[in-house]
Amino acid sequence: MPLTIATWNINSVRLRQDLVARLAAEKAPDVICLQETKCPNASFPSKAFEKLGYTHIAVNGQKGYHGVAVLSRRPMREVVARPFCDMGDSRHIAVDVEARGGRSVRIHNFYVPAGGDEPDPEVNPKFAHKLAFLDEMTDWFGTETEAVAPADGAIVLGDLNIAPLEDDVWSHKQLLRVVSHTPVETERLEQVRRALDWVDVVRRDIPPPEKLYTWWSYRAKDWAAADKGRRLDHVWLSNGFSDACDRVEVLREARGWERPSDHVPIIVRLDV
DNA sequence: ATGGTCGGACCCCGA
């Protein structure tokens, strides 16, 4: 049996638990990693997800903002919820999911700061925070290599809030000075990736120049017609483990579901 | 065409 893993910025898990149920019904992923749950741990709707078969749940939430969670139908244990930038923000959780032969897959679920509007760390503290967060990821990956990425296999996924490639945005030229696609961010994200030589399996399987987006603004009158999206969500596999992934799907249609999130799920299938 | 729309807090903020 393959292991299927979904990542989705849900933009309030309580408001959209029915959409998570729809994803479970239509795609039946073994593991669902959520970001922007906007929900304290005590209020997390665990019961609803347990009824869907996701009996293993790990949450790192806070009131009103941010928040990440992992739902699993396979045995899983929480490894760490690492605080970044001494902010008290809930932006990371790591779990080990059981695989064949006593092995396990370590999943790091991230919600990287969006960074505000002005792409200048001197005048915009939110952008400075975003860059500091990325640098802390690089440092952590580089210094605690074994803990971050055990030999059995590891995954970094989530809303990284950066569209790194020209074909990850609707207009490279028009977004070069827009937060999420500025060179300072895309270079910083590449440093994070290179720290452990993570493999972007989504772009391995759906390579440029094909346009690929996971987020469309709520502000567009007709998101599908305008199609001004960005690829802000990512799935990276540890080097030497990437061959385990034999299928990638970006669920674009979920942007058209009733009262949607502005992000759509990515689903990967692993033979592990 | 430099607007627009969300969600969750609270009387705006972050996205």
Side-chain angles (χ1 to χ4, degrees), chain A residues 227-248:
Chain A
D227 201 20
K228 292 183 172 178
R230 305 176 201 172
R231 188 173 72 105
L232 303 179
D233 302 274
H234 299 273
V235 180
W236 295 347
L237 266 58
S238 53
N239 190 267
F241 180 59
S242 61
D243 285 349
C245 174
D246 59 4
R247 190 180 143 85
V248 164

Side-chain angles (χ1 to χ4, degrees), chain A residues 169-183:
Chain A
V169 292
W170 63 275
S171 168
H172 170 61
K173 198 174 168 188
Q174 285 180 257
L175 286 170
L176 266 173
R177 277 173 290 190
V178 174
V179 170
S180 71
H181 192 61
T182 65

Side-chain angles (χ1 to χ4, degrees), chain A residues 213-232:
Chain A
Y213 314 135
T214 64
W215 172 90
W216 293 260
S217 172
Y218 283 125
R219 293 173 188 170
K221 212 174 296 177
D222 183 337
W223 72 272
D227 201 20
K228 292 183 172 178
R230 305 176 201 172
R231 188 173 72 105
L232 303 179

Side-chain angles (χ1 to χ4, degrees), chain A residues 5-69:
Chain A
I5 302 169
T7 175
W8 196 7
N9 178 320
I10 195 64
N11 189 16
S12 172
V13 68
R14 283 176 291 186
L15 195 70
R16 292 189 229 284
Q17 50 186 283
D18 290 348
L19 293 191
V20 177
R22 182 167 176 181
L23 176 70
E26 295 192 9
K27 295 291 171 181
D30 296 305
V31 179
I32 302 176
C33 299
L34 300 172
Q35 303 88 35
E36 276 210 273
T37 52
K38 294 187 175 179
C39 177
N41 291 348
S43 309
F44 193 84
S46 300
K47 283 243 164 55
F49 299 134
E50 285 165 9
K51 281 181 189 162
L52 299 172
Y54 297 89
T55 53
H56 305 87
I57 296 176
V59 293
N60 178 19
Q62 68 184 86
K63 186 180 179 182
Y65 303 99
H66 325 312
V68 290

Side-chain angles (χ1 to χ4, degrees), chain A residues 70-260:
Chain A
V70 184
L71 321 174
S72 179
R73 316 197 291 190
R74 299 260 195 109
M76 169 184 88
R77 71 174 188 91
E78 182 177 335
V79 174
V80 63
R82 192 185 194 279
F84 279 80
C85 302
D86 295 316
M87 301 276 290
D89 285 357
S90 296
R91 295 182 178 275
H92 169 263
I93 193 165
V95 298
D96 280 350
V97 178
E98 266 187 25
R100 278 198 290 265
R103 289 191 296 272
S104 64
V105 177
R106 184 154 298 180
I107 302 173
H108 294 277
N109 180 12
F110 277 100
Y111 176 52
V112 172
D117 290 329
E118 184 58 50
D120 179 353
E122 299 295 324
V123 300
N124 175 9
K126 285 188 255 186
F127 195 72
H129 176 212
K130 184 177 197 173
L131 299 182
F133 192 101
L134 294 163
D135 287 344
E136 203 170 315
M137 287 175 73
T138 300
D139 289 345
W140 188 40
F141 291 174
T143 55
E144 295 182 48
T145 300
E146 278 305 307
V148 171
D152 280 0
I155 304 175
V156 163
L157 55 71
D159 179 3
L160 305 186
N161 262 317
I162 296 171
L165 306 178
E166 293 191 13
D167 295 305
D168 292 341
V169 292
W170 63 275
S171 168
H172 170 61
K173 198 174 168 188
Q174 285 180 257
L175 286 170
L176 266 173
R177 277 173 290 190
V178 174
V179 170
S180 71
H181 192 61
T182 65
V184 64
E185 292 167 85
T186 57
E187 286 161 15
R188 224 56 157 250
L189 187 68
E190 181 62 6
Q191 285 179 3
V192 176
R193 194 194 62 75
R194 281 205 312 253
L196 278 173
D197 202 14
W198 299 98
V199 177
D200 176 353
V201 292
V202 178
R203 274 315 200 177
R204 181 198 66 188
D205 286 11
I206 312 171
E210 184 170 338
K211 291 284 189 183
L212 186 63
Y213 314 135
T214 64
W215 172 90
W216 293 260
S217 172
Y218 283 125
R219 293 173 188 170
K221 212 174 296 177
D222 183 337
W223 72 272
D227 201 20
K228 292 183 172 178
R230 305 176 201 172
R231 188 173 72 105
L232 303 179
D233 302 274
H234 299 273
V235 180
W236 295 347
L237 266 58
S238 53
N239 190 267
F241 180 59
S242 61
D243 285 349
C245 174
D246 59 4
R247 190 180 143 85
V248 164
E249 182 180 15
V250 176
L251 205 63
R252 179 185 166 103
E253 67 205 57
R255 185 62 178 78
W257 289 356
E258 187 79 20
R259 289 198 82 185

